[in-house]
Amino acid sequence: MKVERAPLGPGLEVSRVLTGLWQVADQERSGRALDPDAASRALDPHADAGLTSFDMADHYGSAEVIAGRLAARRGDVQLLTKWVPEPGPATPDAVAAAVQRAMKRLGTDRIDLLQFHPWSYADPSWLDNLFLLAEHQAAGRILHLGLTNCDAVHLDMAIRSGVPIVSNQVCFSLVDRRAAGAMLRVCREHGVKLLAYGTLAGGLLSDRWLGRTEPAIDESLTWSQMKYRRFVDHAGGWDRFQALLQTVRGIADRLGVSMANVACRHVLDQPAVAGIIVGARPGERSHIEDNLRLFRFALDARARRELEAACEALDPIPGDCGDEYRRPPFLTAAGDLSHHVTHFPAPWPATSSHGATRVSTGTPWEALAGYSRAVRRGNRIHVSGTTSNHGGRLIGGRDAAAQTHFIIDKIDGALQSLGGSLEDVVRTRVFIRDGVDWEPVARAHGLRFAHIRPANTLVRANTVGDDLLVEIEADAELS
């Protein structure tokens, strides 16, 4: 039996079932770390079976150290890790320290795949971090760059801005199908692969939970189970989830496989999905044989129709991929960001003078022409005409929609720095360069402001700068 494999980029091919080590952090909840040598030996059977790819992160307890010990004993494994920094300014020293720390813990001089998690798109430091990571990639310390929990708009933006992203790791399951929408279209356009986690919803999509009463979200559950119980609530509740499980059980019985097999194979068969990440608890549960069964059967047309109907009976998970880490409802283990982030600093510092508070974003035009990015007087904030330049870079390339999204992020960052947000915007004015198609710009504006509905003016203009296709100004009123 041959384990399916998929290329992520030149020189990096992964097993289509990757072993996820996030549960190491759960195992170490008491504060006592696992023995790295014993835990790494517990991973040998995965690699021996052909499941040679392991996914981890800087915050998964000692997972990187354990995987590094495994790699030191054998040369047939692929180590995929993540960098999830606290929100705030990006600096070359901080990025270099993160890369060096990962290399040291993994015991390597080149990281196979480093995946970056952006917290806030209103703070452009997420892009600065990516640009700095790309420099480390060019220097040979990183083979490939990926993102994790990035939405479709900003994956597209990063790639159009010149960052060589090969993958995006997102939640994708029978319960959460957000990745099958706009994300799939972006992946197809740019050739990006998806690495899917949460495919078993923390184990809830398995025989163990069929017919069970609804569990409380408390410490009797693992962190993963607490998280995906919240997903179940937003998908329509426990009774509708049980109906999905009944459908999965029927298909599993007919095909002679487990319920987990059906749930995993469904996601593996989705376009752009390179692999699914199935969690393991080193020294405890491994599920190797069940995972290998994924490569011995196929879902037939009847099974696909039944699964589609069962999924349609659920409510869609709100937002786009990764929104559970950026906006309510926070579908995390804690129901908020307390396990992840202590605070979100303002994207730019504010200064006060002459009865007003101002922020500047450091563009050369602000100093040259003598204006602020945004000014607050009382409960009103006025944001200057804003374009997609940042730190001497053009964000979004020559794509009008990508530029528009970055401009709106930049406006959001200016508002946040003055105590407001996009929700406070009451008017926008959009200027589109002559010859540029207005519709992608209007659609981008609509995607970001549909729930706010400010007054708007959209006009053709001979904007300054040949590559700056769009300019937007905004007014906001704080309640």
Side-chain angles (χ1 to χ4, degrees), residues 36-47:
D37 291 315
S40 72
R41 286 192 295 272
L43 298 178
D44 274 318
H46 293 263

Side-chain angles (χ1 to χ4, degrees), residues 136-363:
H136 286 274
Q137 181 188 24
R141 302 179 191 96
I142 301 167
L143 180 58
H144 289 296
L145 287 174
L147 287 166
T148 182
N149 296 310
C150 186
D151 65 19
V153 160
H154 293 89
L155 171 61
D156 179 74
M157 181 189 297
I159 294 171
R160 292 186 187 280
S161 302
V163 184
I165 301 296
V166 300
S167 66
N168 189 20
Q169 186 175 144
V170 296
C171 189
F172 200 174
S173 71
L174 288 165
V175 175
D176 178 9
R177 301 200 295 166
R178 291 173 295 171
M183 180 62 65
L184 175 57
R185 294 191 291 274
V186 172
C187 288
R188 280 174 163 163
E189 180 173 1
H190 297 294
V192 173
K193 300 297 185 182
L194 292 178
L195 298 173
Y197 70 87
T199 304
L200 293 176
L204 297 180
L205 279 165
S206 67
D207 302 80
R208 180 184 175 194
W209 293 96
L210 178 62
R212 290 272 299 272
T213 57
E214 182 176 7
I217 302 176
D218 58 28
E219 290 297 315
S220 67
L221 302 177
T222 67
W223 280 342
S224 289
Q225 289 166 346
M226 285 189 275
K227 173 180 178 177
Y228 293 108
R229 266 285 290 107
R230 299 184 195 278
F231 275 76
V232 168
D233 285 346
H234 282 274
W238 194 252
D239 288 343
R240 278 201 263 176
F241 178 68
Q242 284 294 316
L244 171 65
L245 291 184
Q246 289 285 358
T247 298
V248 174
R249 177 72 269 169
I251 295 169
D253 287 344
R254 181 165 56 81
L255 298 179
V257 296
S258 69
M259 292 176 64
N261 288 158
V262 173
C264 288
R265 190 71 245 182
H266 169 77
V267 176
L268 274 173
D269 289 344
Q270 301 306 303
V273 173
I276 61 171
I277 302 167
V278 180
R281 298 175 71 86
E284 298 180 25
R285 297 189 295 273
S286 64
H287 308 293
I288 293 173
E289 275 306 312
D290 198 50
N291 291 336
L292 293 175
R293 196 179 298 117
L294 283 168
F295 309 116
R296 299 176 187 145
F297 82 102
L299 295 175
D300 55 24
R302 174 184 168 188
R304 290 193 292 270
R305 287 194 304 270
E306 291 171 349
L307 289 173
E308 183 65 26
C311 291
E312 288 295 328
L314 301 176
D315 295 334
I317 300 300
D320 201 343
C321 296
D323 278 358
E324 62 270 29
Y325 293 101
R326 296 184 188 90
R327 65 186 67 176
F330 294 109
L331 302 181
T332 63
D336 56 36
L337 296 181
S338 59
H339 284 170
H340 303 283
V341 176
T342 56
H343 71 291
F344 285 88
W348 293 287
T351 59
S352 296
S353 65
H354 306 291
T357 307
R358 299 173 172 80
V359 294
S360 295
T361 56
T363 64

Side-chain angles (χ1 to χ4, degrees), residues 4-37:
E4 295 174 9
R5 302 186 69 81
L8 287 187
L12 181 59
E13 185 181 76
V14 296
S15 53
R16 294 201 68 205
V17 172
L18 300 92
T19 301
L21 299 181
W22 68 84
Q23 294 190 54
V24 169
D26 189 70
Q27 290 177 278
E28 296 178 342
R29 260 201 278 187
S30 66
R32 194 172 90 178
L34 299 177
D35 178 276
D37 291 315

